[in-house]
Amino acid sequence: MIWIQRELELTSRPRGFHLVTSEVVEALPELRELRIGMLSLTIQHTSAALALNENASPDVRRDFESWFDRAVPERAPYWTHTLEGDDDMPAHIKASLLGPTLTLPISGGRLALGTWQGIYLCEHRERCGARSVIATAWGEA
Amino acid sequence: MIWIQRELELTSRPRGFHLVTSEVVEALPELRELRIGMLSLTIQHTSAALALNENASPDVRRDFESWFDRAVPERAPYWTHTLEGDDDMPAHIKASLLGPTLTLPISGGRLALGTWQGIYLCEHRERCGARSVIATAWGEA
Amino acid sequence: MIWIQRELELTSRPRGFHLVTSEVVEALPELRELRIGMLSLTIQHTSAALALNENASPDVRRDFESWFDRAVPERAPYWTHTLEGDDDMPAHIKASLLGPTLTLPISGGRLALGTWQGIYLCEHRERCGARSVIATAWGEA
């Protein structure tokens, strides 16, 4: 059994949905040593999320933003946690709808994703710094 | 440590929510050898999802379809990714709300699910073929 | 490799979002023995969920309840599964939006969560008993 664990710092990005597959994989060269295994990613924040979706068209990622902004509106009359800005409470809800973790299979030293799947960093705040992700991989050499 | 990894092909189903627990378990007879372990399922598509919900009443699965169709409407004015059909962009959003993976415990050679829990294939496209799922199990004999 | 598996019984709580990080961690003292590892939590019910979100302000958890109650309304005309109460079918949908599992990293004998992250029990029924969660941990001593 091989275990790898590392904190990745995803560079600060504007509000929106961003493809980070390459950034994640390049930070974990040891994945190549795993014949069969798993990679767990956990974002250590409550106003951003990780998702797996279409990796080709920027339109898709823009439409994610449009839908989530309508589904979880800012300045709704029922928000009571408003001290941290209009985008804060919607960001918490969006983060839990999408989820803070991805648990992904590794096969033959590579992430076993579908052709059109890529890892999204879902950034729900207007202004924030880099985002920390704990990457843990385990498997057989 | 035992590792098992296999690609499962879930047969093509109409748009809707479908119980696939038996189909998944029967394709993985080696799970019986695991005293303690985990099973990870990852669907390799961006317009279908996996979920764990009520395994008894077809009404529940129909109501899932009703709610998701209203929550993520087709032909909304804010969609810009429209070339692949009216059901395409809503399918991407629904897929990320439900999620592409399940990571489930194995106990005494069986999935340790609750009495009423079953695995759903959430099919969000009108027309598509079989769906590929990477199953990875690991644990102690 | 160390494996730990145990059924946790989370005490009955009223409908709403509840912080249960301490209750979970105190039930699993063996996590301290894991230098690197993972903890999987699976709730064995279809009308409650687990999530990871803000651990400080009760306002945030109240606003979760407000948003989910509006997004998935009771007594909507499209519900057909209505025999088990007004809160039943919305509870199933909410449970799948939030998800039944958390798969979390362990580092140096502790859950490697962000400063503001806590584990939520998302209870979507008005009346229910204790909730069963299967905890499975694995890793290196």
Side-chain angles (χ1 to χ4, degrees), chain B residues 38 53 63 67 106 112 117, chain C residues 5 43-44 71 80-81 92 96:
Chain B
M38 297 295 302
N53 216 290
D63 288 356
W67 186 84
I106 298 167
Q117 287 181 313
Chain C
Q5 192 171 64
I43 197 162
Q44 293 193 301
T80 63
H81 181 77
H92 290 306
S96 278

Side-chain angles (χ1 to χ4, degrees), chain C residues 41-140:
Chain C
L41 301 171
T42 303
I43 197 162
Q44 293 193 301
H45 306 274
T46 62
S47 56
L50 298 173
L52 204 60
N53 216 292
E54 210 254 16
N55 62 10
S57 169
D59 290 354
V60 171
R61 300 195 293 282
R62 183 171 54 206
D63 287 355
F64 263 83
E65 177 76 356
S66 297
W67 186 84
F68 276 91
D69 283 353
R70 278 162 183 78
V72 194
E74 299 189 1
R75 294 178 296 280
Y78 47 83
W79 299 134
T80 63
H81 181 77
T82 55
L83 279 176
E84 295 178 62
D86 287 347
D87 59 340
D88 181 63
M89 196 57 227
H92 290 306
I93 302 283
K94 293 169 185 173
S96 278
L97 290 172
L98 290 156
T101 68
L102 288 174
T103 309
L104 303 173
I106 298 167
S107 183
R110 302 166 61 101
L111 281 180
L113 302 182
T115 309
W116 303 103
Q117 287 181 313
I119 300 172
Y120 285 14
L121 169 64
C122 315
E123 177 55 75
H124 302 306
R125 296 301 308 259
E126 287 294 337
R127 277 174 194 78
C128 71
R131 296 298 200 169
S132 166
V133 169
I134 302 293
T136 310
W138 63 98
E140 283 191 340

Side-chain angles (χ1 to χ4, degrees), chain A residues 59-71:
Chain A
D59 289 354
V60 171
R61 300 195 294 281
R62 183 171 53 203
D63 288 356
F64 264 82
E65 177 77 355
S66 297
W67 185 84
F68 276 90
D69 282 352
R70 278 162 183 78

